């Protein structure tokens, strides 16, 4: 399984009032690393618009091991840890380390490719996109299915708009 490597420098704007990395910054950093990995694979925004497909996330989980302080360089290792047989569903893992190799956090995301035309989960991928996906080294990745979506265990529960007031 290929590991994509990237790094980011913690900036003042990435901090929370406790003077360590804010929770939303972890999400921003892993999103950056994931998109960088996709770009390396040939899924840049230009191709996503041509193919009318883009990644959407159903779930993102984090485990925090040690705080990340200002002016730290964070090294992010990203790997594709799961795919469906048709490559519509995917799972990525991210491991965040400091300069000394100390494991600071881990995240796992589960998502799918969105069809820009229908604004729903893609039912298939364009042939050229399939070619790129098939070339991925997903050896050791778990096989995902639509049951994994149902197994998330959370569903939306709409309310009466009057109850919002």
């Amino acid at each position: 399984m290929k590991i994509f490597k990237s790094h980011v420098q913690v900036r003042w704007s990435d901090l929370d009032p406790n003077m360590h990395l804010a929770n939303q910054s972890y999400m921003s950093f892993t999103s950056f690393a994931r998109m960088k990995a996709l770009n390396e694979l040939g899924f840049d925004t230009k191709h996503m618009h041509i193919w009318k497909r883009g990644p959407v996330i159903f779930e993102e989980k984090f485990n925090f091991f040690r705080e990340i302080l200002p002016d730290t360089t964070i090294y992010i290792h990203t790997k594709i840890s799961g795919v469906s047989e048709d490559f519509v569903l995917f799972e990525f893992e991210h491991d965040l380390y400091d300069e000394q190799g100390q494991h600071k956090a881990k995240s796992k995301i589960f998502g799918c490719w969105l069809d820009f035309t229908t604004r729903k989960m893609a039912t298939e991928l364009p042939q050229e996109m399939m070619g790129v996906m098939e070339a991925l080294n997903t050896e050791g990745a778990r096989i995902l299915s639509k049951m994994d979506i149902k197994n998330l265990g959370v569903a939306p529960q709409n309310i009466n708009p009057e109850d919002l007031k």
Side-chain angles (χ1 to χ4, degrees):
M1 197 175 307
K2 180 174 170 83
I3 295 177
F4 298 90
K5 297 179 179 181
S6 55
H7 66 278
V8 291
Q9 179 72 33
V10 175
R11 305 160 301 181
W12 175 259
S13 60
D14 298 320
L15 305 177
D16 68 11
N18 293 325
M19 292 303 294
H20 61 207
L21 195 63
N23 286 2
Q24 86 268 6
S25 296
Y26 285 91
M27 292 182 87
S28 179
F29 288 177
T30 56
S31 177
F32 159 76
R34 192 167 49 254
M35 293 309 296
K36 184 175 182 285
L38 287 171
N39 277 319
E40 287 179 32
L41 294 168
F43 291 101
D44 55 26
T45 53
K46 175 185 168 191
H47 282 94
M48 288 182 198
H49 285 280
I50 291 169
W51 295 329
K52 296 182 176 28
R53 301 290 187 273
V56 294
I57 307 304
F58 295 131
E59 181 177 67
E60 185 164 11
K61 292 182 179 183
F62 280 87
N63 297 100
F64 304 102
F65 308 126
R66 301 263 187 243
E67 68 180 343
I68 297 176
L69 300 173
D71 301 318
T72 303
T73 299
I74 299 301
Y75 296 85
I76 306 168
H77 290 186
T78 301
K79 66 182 177 183
I80 300 170
S81 54
V83 290
S84 58
E85 290 178 352
D86 61 3
F87 297 105
V88 170
L89 300 173
F90 53 78
E91 182 180 78
F92 283 82
E93 289 183 16
H94 307 90
D95 291 291
L96 290 76
Y97 303 94
D98 67 10
E99 299 96 334
Q100 289 76 41
Q102 187 176 52
H103 201 184
K104 298 292 191 170
K106 181 176 193 69
S107 84
K108 185 183 279 192
I109 66 102
F110 174 60
C112 76
W113 290 101
L114 175 76
D115 182 320
F116 291 168
T117 305
T118 63
R119 305 305 299 168
K120 295 182 180 188
M121 183 170 73
T123 56
E124 63 182 3
L125 301 182
Q127 196 57 43
E128 186 180 340
M129 190 175 176
M130 279 294 290
V132 175
M133 294 297 290
E134 288 170 350
L136 293 176
N137 178 6
T138 56
E139 185 178 323
R142 75 185 187 106
I143 303 300
L144 303 172
S145 73
K146 289 186 180 173
M147 275 310 286
D148 290 295
I149 298 171
K150 292 179 182 180
N151 289 337
L152 291 175
V154 179
Q157 297 194 355
N158 298 332
I159 64 171
N160 183 325
E162 292 299 315
D163 293 339
L164 297 172
K165 301 171 187 163

